[in-house]
């Protein structure tokens, strides 16, 4: 066989018969002019082979699955009907066609109750059922469903006068007012404010703020924790929801809570066990490298993980440790901020502790409109005079949401809602103790302010269900009894949360515990007691 190629205007032939004995190299032999025509034909596939880095011919795929992407620019007649006039069937059909859930499987939407209105601490469904809201929905509807006039008026006024200002383009009065008000009620020099739209975003801002301020990148969180559903806040989360994002975002380190689920820390006394928990945390800091850790980020009171209150002296020890190693301390108050624990902020339950960063959300507006807050100390605020925070969003410092929060916080203060929480705490304590003694399925209980939790166990004392597993049939039966007794709320087995609106009356609180007491008999039986 002969292979031809043109090189510098000379056609040469590579013949197998002239292969060099050395390394199998083919040596070129000039081709006579008489064979030029045939050689030209046989070598046509190689004529473009020149030295260089030219592209290969390529054609991107053409669209073959074209879809009509025009829009119907008219309002269907059913959407001109007044709100509240759709039938349950119409609502269910729209939900089935177009609604997605987030933390629950999508099929659950078909059985989620259709709620029509609220009043006080009660919610009503389309069938006329009246439910006492036993967890303030997601521990957020802190003043219930009869919205105070000042909140409605202030929010409506802002909507009419100036519904939106982009935070980097202008300052509106309500932003100055809300920043000043929250700064005045926070202890110490926590006075640098940004106002994201959710707790997750507030924690994103806190993480970026800490990293930008310190120049370090690691964040330490508890395993038994929840900080949000956005990229960094989800990775900061310790519970199973972290896994949904793949658990692969770098820079987050998990530590054991001072109250582990399945073992006890060494020590004869609570103080000794607390010291052991602090020793564990400090050793972890040393092994990670203090110069790599930007922030320790803990919930002041662990919420979704079971209302876990750190033991006496623990948070003081964490604050001292952060000071020793030049690490920022962030208290996540998204669930407990603005009165839930009987203090304005949860960290105020730990004498002498001032965090460097505080985030809050749900209670700042009582969930009437979506808004959160990320507050930081003065020296950290000042450090960003010459550089951007590095976090932001279009709706940060939304005027209408800030107006709602501003009036809500004033209402909490003027109506002494926190004093009301403290006045009912003994009733809360007595009811939890009585129910625990009345039901063998209850292992133990915890509470602070208007925030409580029962832990459930099996007859042999073991844990009946981990939070990441599918709900056990015993808890399905309990949920049915819970609903049948006129309660509505979140269920996070093996923890049973109690967190009614902070404005609940004594009579309503006692009634709620009586309803739960009745439902728990079903759980006792379902678990085999």
């Amino acid at each position: 066989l002969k292979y031809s190629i043109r090189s510098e205007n000379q056609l040469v032939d590579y013949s197998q018969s002239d292969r060099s004995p050395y390394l199998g190299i083919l040596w070129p032999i000039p081709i006579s002019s008489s064979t030029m025509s045939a050689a030209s034909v046989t070598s046509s596939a190689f004529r473009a082979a020149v030295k260089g880095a030219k592209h290969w011919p390529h054609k991107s795929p053409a669209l073959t699955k074209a879809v009509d992407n025009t829009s119907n620019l008219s309002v269907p007649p059913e959407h001109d009907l007044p709100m509240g006039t759709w039938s349950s069937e119409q609502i269910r059909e729209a939900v089935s066609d177009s609604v997605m859930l987030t933390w629950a499987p999508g099929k659950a939407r078909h059985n989620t109750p259709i709620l029509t209105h609220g009043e006080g601490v009660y919610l009503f469904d389309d069938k006329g059922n009246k439910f006492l809201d036993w967890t303030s929905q997601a521990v957020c509807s802190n003043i219930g469903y009869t919205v105070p006039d000042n909140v409605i008026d202030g929010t409506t006024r802002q909507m009419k006068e100036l519904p939106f200002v982009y935070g980097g383009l202008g300052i509106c009065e309500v932003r100055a007012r809300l920043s000043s008000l929250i700064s005045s009620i926070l202890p110490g020099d926590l006075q640098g404010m940004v106002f994201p739209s959710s707790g997750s975003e507030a924690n994103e801002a806190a993480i970026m703020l800490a990293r930008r301020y310190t120049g370090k990148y690691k964040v330490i969180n508890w395993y038994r924790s929840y900080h949000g559903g956005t990229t960094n806040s989800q990775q900061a989360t310790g519970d199973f929801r972290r896994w949904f994002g793949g658990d692969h975002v770098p820079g987050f380190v998990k530590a054991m809570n001072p109250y582990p689920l399945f073992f006890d820390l060494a020590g004869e006394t609570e103080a000794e066990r607390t010291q052991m928990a602090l020793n564990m945390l400090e050793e972890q800091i040393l092994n990670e490298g203090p110069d790599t850790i930007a922030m320790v980020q803990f919930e002041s009171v662990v919420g979704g993980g079971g209302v876990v209150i750190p033991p006496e002296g623990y948070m003081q020890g964490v604050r001292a440790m952060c000071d020793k190693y030049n690490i920022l301390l962030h208290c996540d108050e998204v669930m407990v901020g603005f009165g839930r624990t009987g203090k304005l902020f949860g960290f105020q339950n730990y004498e002498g502790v001032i965090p460097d960063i505080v985030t809050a959300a749900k209670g700042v507006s009582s969930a009437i409109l979506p808004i959160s807050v990320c507050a930081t100390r003065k020296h950290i605020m000042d450090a960003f005079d010459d550089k951007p925070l590095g976090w932001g969003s279009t709706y940060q410092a939304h005027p209408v949401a800030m107006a709602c929060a501003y009036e809500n916080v004033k209402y909490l203060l003027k109506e002494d809602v926190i004093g009301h929480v403290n006045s009912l705490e003994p009733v809360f304590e007595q009811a939890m103790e009585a129910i625990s003694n009345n039901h063998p399925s209850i292992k133990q209980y915890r509470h602070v302010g208007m925030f409580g939790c029962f832990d459930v166990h099996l007859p042999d004392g073991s844990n009946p269900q981990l939070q990441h597993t599918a709900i056990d049939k015993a808890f399905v039966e309990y949920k049915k009894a819970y609903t049948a007794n006129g309660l509505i709320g979140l269920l996070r087995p093996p923890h049973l949360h109690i967190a009614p609106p902070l404005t609940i009356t004594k009579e309503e609180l006692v009634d709620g515990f009586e309803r739960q007491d009745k439902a728990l008999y079903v759980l006792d039986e379902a678990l085999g007691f």
Side-chain angles (χ1 to χ4, degrees), residues 64-80:
T64 58
K65 297 180 179 180
V67 177
D68 182 5
N69 64 356
T70 58
S71 296
N72 175 19
L73 298 181
S74 63
V75 177
E78 64 268 23
H79 292 286
D80 277 330

Side-chain angles (χ1 to χ4, degrees), residues 251 269 315 385 469 471-472:
T269 66
M315 290 301 289
D385 274 354
T469 56
I471 188 168
D472 183 84

Side-chain angles (χ1 to χ4, degrees), residues 44-232:
S44 61
F46 298 90
R47 288 182 180 276
V50 296
K51 185 176 182 179
K54 301 294 184 180
H55 70 277
W56 277 269
H58 178 76
K59 187 177 182 180
S60 297
L63 178 64
T64 58
K65 297 180 179 180
V67 177
D68 182 5
N69 64 356
T70 58
S71 296
N72 175 19
L73 298 181
S74 63
V75 177
E78 64 268 23
H79 292 286
D80 277 330
L81 295 173
M83 193 66 67
T85 61
W86 272 20
S87 67
S88 297
E89 290 73 23
Q90 284 177 295
I91 295 172
R92 288 292 181 200
E93 183 180 359
V95 167
S96 180
D97 289 345
S98 307
V99 171
M100 294 182 68
L101 302 185
T102 54
W103 294 125
K107 64 183 179 181
R109 72 189 186 279
H110 303 300
N111 297 313
T112 301
I114 298 172
L115 300 177
T116 57
H117 62 286
E119 182 179 339
V121 297
Y122 298 98
L123 289 166
F124 299 81
D125 70 8
D126 61 329
K127 299 175 182 178
N129 295 313
K130 178 181 179 181
F131 300 101
L132 197 166
D133 185 356
W134 204 225
T135 63
S136 300
Q137 296 199 48
V139 195
C140 56
S141 296
N142 284 5
I143 61 172
Y145 303 100
T146 302
V147 180
D149 289 341
N150 71 299
V151 177
I152 295 173
D153 293 343
T155 304
T156 304
R157 184 185 311 111
Q158 186 65 51
M159 190 179 295
K160 289 179 178 179
E161 293 179 357
L162 187 60
F164 180 71
V165 174
Y166 176 61
L169 192 63
I171 296 289
C172 53
E173 182 178 353
V174 71
R175 184 176 180 183
R177 281 178 174 250
L178 183 59
S179 299
S180 175
L181 177 60
I182 294 180
S183 176
S184 72
I185 60 179
L186 275 166
D189 62 347
L190 286 158
Q191 62 189 79
M193 306 286 160
V194 295
F195 298 105
S197 298
S198 69
S200 294
E201 287 181 291
N203 288 333
E204 290 280 348
I207 292 166
M208 183 61 76
L209 186 153
R211 287 173 168 170
R212 294 270 291 161
Y213 175 76
T214 64
K216 301 184 284 184
Y217 65 95
K218 289 182 184 175
V219 177
I220 294 181
N221 312 92
W222 282 323
Y223 274 111
R224 200 171 175 180
S225 68
Y226 176 72
H227 296 287
T230 50
T231 301
N232 283 320

Side-chain angles (χ1 to χ4, degrees), residues 423-502:
S423 72
L424 289 180
E425 187 167 17
V427 179
F428 204 100
E429 159 76 25
Q430 292 165 11
M432 292 198 76
E433 182 181 13
I435 286 177
S436 296
N437 292 331
N438 196 31
H439 294 279
S441 62
I442 302 302
K443 169 184 172 62
Q444 59 196 1
Y445 70 94
R446 294 171 297 281
H447 83 94
V448 57
M450 198 70 73
F451 200 20
C453 180
F454 294 113
D455 288 342
V456 178
H457 64 173
L458 293 171
D460 64 2
S462 63
N463 186 309
Q465 178 181 337
L466 295 176
Q467 284 195 331
H468 69 275
T469 56
I471 188 168
D472 183 84
K473 61 182 181 180
F475 290 103
V476 173
E477 294 305 311
Y478 167 71
K479 181 67 171 178
K480 291 177 182 177
Y482 185 91
T483 303
N485 279 282
L487 295 177
I488 191 169
L490 293 180
L491 180 61
R492 295 284 186 268
H495 309 301
L496 309 180
H497 291 80
I498 305 99
L502 306 184

Side-chain angles (χ1 to χ4, degrees), residues 291-349:
D291 291 341
T292 69
I293 301 170
M295 179 169 70
V296 170
Q297 181 184 46
F298 289 161
E299 290 177 271
S300 299
V301 175
V302 174
V307 190
V308 183
I309 303 112
E312 185 177 352
Y314 181 83
M315 290 301 289
Q316 289 86 346
V318 173
R319 173 71 272 182
M321 209 177 297
C322 288
D323 291 339
K324 177 179 179 180
Y325 294 111
N326 195 29
I327 297 169
L328 299 184
L329 174 61
H330 169 207
C331 286
D332 179 346
E333 299 263 345
V334 168
M335 192 169 280
V336 300
F338 294 94
R340 175 59 59 183
T341 69
K343 303 282 188 182
L344 191 60
F345 296 95
F347 69 81
Q348 292 175 309
N349 289 282

Side-chain angles (χ1 to χ4, degrees), residues 234-235 242-249:
Q234 189 175 52
Q235 192 65 47
R242 181 181 80 254
W243 309 339
F244 294 154
D247 196 14
H248 58 70
V249 179

